[in-house]
Amino acid sequence: MADDEEIILSELSDDELVLQMHDDLYDGLKEEIEEGVNILIARNWTPYDTLTKALVAGMTIVGADFRDGILFVPEVLLAANAMKGGMAILKPLLIATGAPRMGKMVIGTVKGDIHDIGKNLVGMMMEGAGFEVKDLGINNSVEKYLAAIESEKPDILGMSALLTTTMPYMKVVIDTLKEKGMREDYIVLVGGAPLNEEFSKAIGADAYCRDAAVAVETAKAYMLRKHNRATA
């Protein structure tokens, strides 16, 4: 199709529209995503199908290309922002229909560290995968994590650090959870540039996630295991 030909979203069939929305998400076109969501809902699509088939499936492509170095952080942030536009429409509808969700995550950068781009990206990508995310921001003390766990009752705790000096604080949080007999209740994922698999194991985290795409894949895998255990 020639570039100057305007694509009229409302004239596309359902299948064509979903594929077009995957493209629009990839290109970070927020208004088009919002329009697409509204069209599908008007066509009697359920909020859950709209979320999973149009948005989550589109963000899965974005996540894979980010992981493989085809897309970079600015493009992924644009895609995530477009996704947020669609989610804003769907969220109240999903709550009203009691649609299943992937799980819930509390995420924050640890005490002494004020870096948040990576953490923000993880939060956005997790939302894009259908998770509910409570972002605590930067510079979080043990007390702040514990208060959020208490009030939010998440499945997953995510901690981020970008400085070698703040990395050890992750162990402080995990050790506190152990002392309180709460460690086994949560999946603990850690990430940040100076971290690695060895460090993650040493501090007692469940997994180290090198980037946002890996964080989503890891979270999904752990939630699947958790559901399987619960139904076994």
Side-chain angles (χ1 to χ4, degrees):
M1 188 180 280
D3 287 346
D4 53 3
E5 277 187 46
E6 185 74 22
I7 296 170
I8 313 293
L9 295 182
S10 57
E11 291 176 2
L12 300 176
S13 71
D14 287 11
D15 288 348
E16 289 170 335
L17 178 56
V18 166
L19 290 175
Q20 183 59 45
M21 287 173 75
H22 293 174
D23 286 349
D24 290 344
L25 254 185
Y26 199 90
D27 295 334
L29 304 175
K30 188 178 179 184
E31 282 175 18
E32 284 81 349
I33 290 300
E34 291 167 345
E35 187 187 342
V37 166
N38 282 324
I39 291 168
L40 288 175
I41 294 296
R43 290 182 185 175
N44 294 320
W45 272 52
T46 66
Y48 186 68
D49 278 351
T50 307
L51 170 68
T52 52
K53 293 176 183 171
L55 300 185
V56 174
M59 280 305 281
T60 303
I61 301 165
V62 171
D65 279 3
F66 174 56
R67 183 194 60 219
D68 297 340
I70 298 162
L71 283 180
F72 298 96
V73 170
E75 292 135 320
V76 177
L77 287 173
L78 273 175
N81 191 47
M83 167 89 193
K84 268 200 155 148
M87 280 296 289
I89 299 164
L90 289 174
K91 220 170 204 171
L93 303 174
L94 286 164
I95 292 165
T97 55
R101 59 184 179 85
M102 282 299 300
K104 188 172 191 179
M105 179 185 211
V106 162
I107 189 171
T109 306
V110 296
K111 190 174 178 180
D113 207 316
I114 56 166
H115 295 90
D116 68 353
I117 291 177
K119 170 190 64 63
N120 293 350
L121 199 53
V122 171
M124 284 176 167
M125 295 282 281
M126 290 290 285
E127 280 189 337
F131 283 83
E132 195 181 326
V133 178
K134 172 71 177 172
D135 189 341
L136 304 179
I138 54 173
N139 194 24
N140 288 288
S141 62
V142 171
E143 293 75 22
K144 234 175 137 185
Y145 282 116
L146 288 176
I149 284 172
E150 193 60 44
S151 62
E152 299 297 328
K153 311 230 176 321
D155 304 290
I156 301 168
L157 172 63
M159 291 188 283
S160 167
L162 211 77
L163 304 170
T164 49
T165 50
T166 57
M167 280 164 56
Y169 198 79
M170 291 177 170
K171 186 174 188 305
V172 176
V173 177
I174 292 171
D175 286 350
T176 306
L177 288 176
K178 284 179 184 166
E179 281 162 26
K180 293 184 176 291
M182 298 159 64
R183 173 63 189 90
E184 295 310 310
D185 300 338
Y186 308 99
I187 298 157
V188 179
L189 304 181
V190 295
L195 278 69
N196 57 31
E197 198 69 53
E198 252 168 83
F199 175 79
S200 153
K201 281 198 178 81
I203 62 168
D206 286 299
Y208 154 70
C209 306
R210 72 168 190 272
D211 61 34
V214 172
V216 169
E217 286 167 14
T218 307
K220 279 182 174 174
Y222 270 98
M223 288 309 296
L224 206 59
R225 268 183 242 172
K226 194 172 176 178
H227 289 314
N228 288 344
R229 274 207 306 271
T231 54

